[in-house]
Amino acid sequence: MKYFDLHCDTLFAIAQEGGTLRKRGGQVDLDRARKYEPYAQVFALFCGAEPLDDPAQAHVMFTTLLRTAQEQFAANADGLMYCRTAADFDRACDAGKVAAFLSVEGAELLQWEEDICAAIDAGVRVVTLSWNHDSCYACGAARSRRKGITERGKALVKRLDQAGIFLDVSHLSERGFWDLTELTERPILATHSNSRAIRHHVRNLKDDQFREICRRGGLTGLNCYVPFVTPNVTASVRDLFPHIDHFMELGGEYCLAIGADFDGCDRLPDEIHSVADMDCLAEEMRRHGYSEECIRNLFFENAARFVREYF
């Protein structure tokens, strides 16, 4: 089975708790991921759950996370290839190696010019403009729907746009989303967000937002975090089906992918304990009549198509 995941916080967990990408106690490691061929993962450099108001603190955290990524990728180069381009991605897949991309989750990590340059030079391909709180760049979804991207944030969008980095609206306020659409004509990503029509949560996308992502040829990654899936305390993988169906009805057949949020959440559907269990979602989709093409697109082909067209 082919598997491409747009978002996990595994590198943050390694930097904070130790362990290695090869084998660890979290939700993603290379040993368990090897059941998928090919397997591609966007690894996030996550800003953390506390506000990063001090630029010096942000610099230390970004530097630590980037170093962690570089060390882990180098240590596992026999089975993993760090990818910056579509050509890198294809080479990794052809060689049977994990295709690893980097993102920054929370642009507040990049408050110093040298860190913006370091992210560009390192080949970061996606930047989430905010996490849940306010920052110097944008307002998070958990704070206010009426506050958006700051003037400094607008300058950062232009800079990242020119560098070929894609902007991610997961965690961004609703106003920030529409601010972004006025700042760039390029595709927009929502790497780990579900449908607000199905589960009313500020982290999920409204229908008009999802349609705009589709119109631009962007991607939305289906999130497995239970509070974004259902208001219930627990969930089954079947609870993801209404989100999938609704996004498909809105024209998302080729814009929907997986952004499971592994190592960034502690409540997953009952059948899923780690990346190794994601094939159970595919099996359940087959039992409920989803086509093989739909399953292939969701799990791999849509994200792979995006990479090949834009990276």
Side-chain angles (χ1 to χ4, degrees), residues 18-276:
T20 69
L21 197 52
R22 175 73 65 184
K23 187 174 183 179
R24 49 187 296 276
Q27 295 163 345
V28 170
D29 61 59
L30 299 184
D31 285 355
R32 284 177 289 185
R34 292 200 186 286
K35 70 182 296 181
Y36 307 110
E37 190 175 345
Y39 170 70
Q41 180 69 63
V42 180
F43 291 93
L45 307 181
F46 172 44
C47 65
E50 299 300 323
L52 274 179
D53 298 324
D54 180 2
Q57 180 188 6
H59 169 74
V60 170
M61 180 173 286
F62 173 70
T63 302
T64 299
L65 289 169
L66 182 58
R67 183 175 63 248
T68 298
Q70 292 167 335
E71 290 173 350
Q72 291 296 319
F73 292 170
N76 294 286
D78 58 329
L80 176 149
M81 182 180 296
Y82 175 45
C83 301
R84 302 168 183 240
T85 66
D88 292 341
F89 172 66
D90 284 333
R91 281 194 292 270
C93 292
D94 291 343
K97 293 187 176 185
V98 171
F101 294 91
L102 275 183
S103 69
V104 168
E105 184 182 18
E108 49 263 50
L109 281 172
L110 308 176
Q111 294 187 43
W112 283 358
E113 173 65 18
E114 66 182 272
D115 294 327
I116 297 172
C117 292
I120 294 170
D121 291 344
V124 167
R125 297 314 312 257
V126 178
V127 170
T128 309
L129 280 173
S130 69
W131 198 64
N132 286 339
H133 39 249
D134 284 340
S135 77
C136 58
Y137 292 129
C139 177
R143 293 302 185 196
S144 171
R145 62 185 293 271
R146 296 181 178 86
K147 293 170 61 179
I149 300 175
T150 67
E151 290 304 313
R152 187 175 172 188
K154 292 175 182 178
L156 180 67
V157 167
K158 183 177 180 180
R159 178 79 179 280
L160 298 178
D161 228 13
Q162 291 173 340
I165 293 174
F166 290 90
L167 283 307
D168 179 6
V169 298
S170 288
H171 291 288
L172 186 61
S173 70
E174 186 178 349
R175 169 66 183 276
F177 177 97
W178 295 111
D179 284 348
L180 181 61
T181 64
E182 296 177 0
L183 294 168
T184 179
E185 293 297 323
R186 301 174 73 231
I188 291 172
L189 305 178
T191 60
H192 53 305
S193 296
N194 293 340
S195 168
R196 198 180 304 192
I198 302 302
R199 168 62 173 127
H200 194 276
H201 193 290
V202 294
R203 273 282 286 104
N204 288 338
L205 295 169
K206 289 187 172 181
D207 288 357
D208 56 352
Q209 293 176 302
F210 182 74
R211 288 194 186 98
E212 180 65 15
I213 291 171
C214 294
R215 186 188 71 79
R216 291 167 175 257
L219 290 173
T220 293
L222 195 68
N223 194 318
C224 292
Y225 183 42
V226 169
F228 300 163
V229 176
T230 173
N232 300 326
V233 175
T234 62
S236 161
V237 293
R238 292 185 297 277
D239 290 315
L240 290 166
F241 293 176
H243 294 273
I244 296 171
D245 290 343
H246 188 69
F247 280 147
M248 293 295 183
E249 291 168 0
L250 295 177
E253 180 180 1
Y254 301 109
C255 299
L256 189 59
I258 299 290
D261 209 1
F262 286 128
D263 288 318
C265 63
D266 56 2
R267 292 169 58 194
L268 295 166
D270 292 339
E271 303 90 337
I272 299 175
H273 304 284
S274 75
V275 65

